[in-house]
Amino acid sequence: MDEKEEFGKPTVKIENIVATVILDTPLDLNLIETRIPDVDYNPDQFPGLVYRLQSPKITALIFKSGKMVVTGAKSVKQLVWAVKTILKKLMIKGVPMQGKPQIQIQNIVASANLNVDVDLEKAAFTLPKSMYEPEQFPGLIYRMEKPRVVLLIFSSGKMVITGAKRESEVQDAVNGIYNILKGNKSIKEDNI
């Protein structure tokens, strides 16, 4: 099946969600290391404890302050599940905790395919806040205002989206750029 067969139908895949989690309590990382054997903690190298889930592959960096950075989730639902799983394991192992964790998404990185070829020269000329220097980098960098994301757009129609805070912003950005490129005739004619 040809990848461009469904032309005009952009596809989107979330690759990674990075979030911070704030707990209302400081954590004893030495205690966590002794009670949960499959964590990495080397305070001489890095001040946080590294907790890895195997399936799905999600990593949490846990700090003494009670803050965590969680990365690797492919959806918000998966992110919330991972945080609950980690906190439940800590509580089961006797790590004292209180309050409800506050989860804040910092960045969603996604890939997309517009399923059409893009004339990057024309797009760079018509898109404000874009940068295209093919001698330096083969993609066009476009800083979208609404939603506030950065798009790396390649002539093949493939893209990388970064900076989103919600899953819906990724889809809005992809649909939005597709409509903008179609409107300013930056989609190569042989694909329309």
Side-chain angles (χ1 to χ4, degrees), residues 44-86:
D44 295 334
Q45 299 290 317
F46 182 70
L49 180 141
V50 181
Y51 189 124
R52 290 182 181 87
L53 294 176
Q54 293 307 311
S55 184
K57 282 193 173 287
I58 294 175
T59 301
L61 305 176
I62 304 173
F63 298 94
K64 286 181 197 173
S65 64
K67 291 185 180 173
M68 296 175 21
V69 176
V70 181
T71 184
K74 308 280 187 197
S75 69
V76 172
K77 184 177 179 181
Q78 199 177 70
L79 169 73
V80 170
W81 175 86
V83 170
K84 285 181 179 178
T85 300
I86 292 166

Side-chain angles (χ1 to χ4, degrees), residues 89-102:
K89 177 108 179 222
L90 292 175
M91 287 188 282
I92 288 170
K93 294 294 184 173
V95 177
M97 240 178 281
Q98 56 193 349
K100 186 179 177 190
Q102 300 168 18

Side-chain angles (χ1 to χ4, degrees), residues 2-20:
D2 187 88
E3 195 173 63
K4 299 211 182 231
E5 194 171 311
E6 252 197 277
F7 96 148
K9 283 270 192 200
T11 57
V12 176
K13 180 182 177 195
I14 291 178
E15 303 292 344
N16 185 26
I17 298 177
V18 178
T20 53

Side-chain angles (χ1 to χ4, degrees), residues 9-178:
K9 283 270 192 200
T11 57
V12 176
K13 180 182 177 195
I14 291 178
E15 303 292 344
N16 185 26
I17 298 177
V18 178
T20 53
V21 180
I22 300 169
L23 306 172
D24 287 339
T25 183
L27 298 170
D28 182 344
L29 300 185
N30 291 312
L31 176 68
I32 295 171
E33 181 187 30
T34 60
R35 300 218 174 146
I36 302 176
D38 54 343
V39 298
D40 294 322
Y41 183 50
N42 187 346
D44 295 334
Q45 299 290 317
F46 182 70
L49 180 141
V50 181
Y51 189 124
R52 290 182 181 87
L53 294 176
Q54 293 307 311
S55 184
K57 282 193 173 287
I58 294 175
T59 301
L61 305 176
I62 304 173
F63 298 94
K64 286 181 197 173
S65 64
K67 291 185 180 173
M68 296 175 21
V69 176
V70 181
T71 184
K74 308 280 187 197
S75 69
V76 172
K77 184 177 179 181
Q78 199 177 70
L79 169 73
V80 170
W81 175 86
V83 170
K84 285 181 179 178
T85 300
I86 292 166
L87 296 179
K88 187 175 180 181
K89 177 108 179 222
L90 292 175
M91 287 188 282
I92 288 170
K93 294 294 184 173
V95 177
M97 240 178 281
Q98 56 193 349
K100 186 179 177 190
Q102 300 168 18
I103 302 172
Q104 185 176 18
I105 295 173
Q106 301 299 323
N107 186 21
I108 297 177
V109 178
S111 60
N113 191 343
L114 298 174
N115 292 305
V116 292
D117 288 334
V118 178
D119 183 336
L120 295 180
E121 293 282 342
K122 191 182 278 188
F125 185 72
T126 58
L127 287 173
K129 296 188 180 183
S130 68
M131 188 170 76
Y132 179 54
E133 296 177 24
E135 314 79 37
Q136 302 290 320
F137 182 71
L140 179 141
I141 301 167
Y142 176 53
R143 297 182 188 289
M144 189 175 256
E145 291 283 324
K146 272 196 166 186
R148 194 171 180 84
V149 297
V150 175
L151 306 172
L152 304 178
I153 306 168
F154 299 93
S155 61
S156 64
K158 293 192 170 151
M159 299 182 352
V160 175
I161 303 96
T162 185
K165 304 282 190 195
R166 292 188 303 276
E167 289 174 291
S168 61
E169 290 178 347
V170 174
Q171 193 66 51
D172 292 347
V174 172
N175 291 338
I177 195 63
Y178 177 80

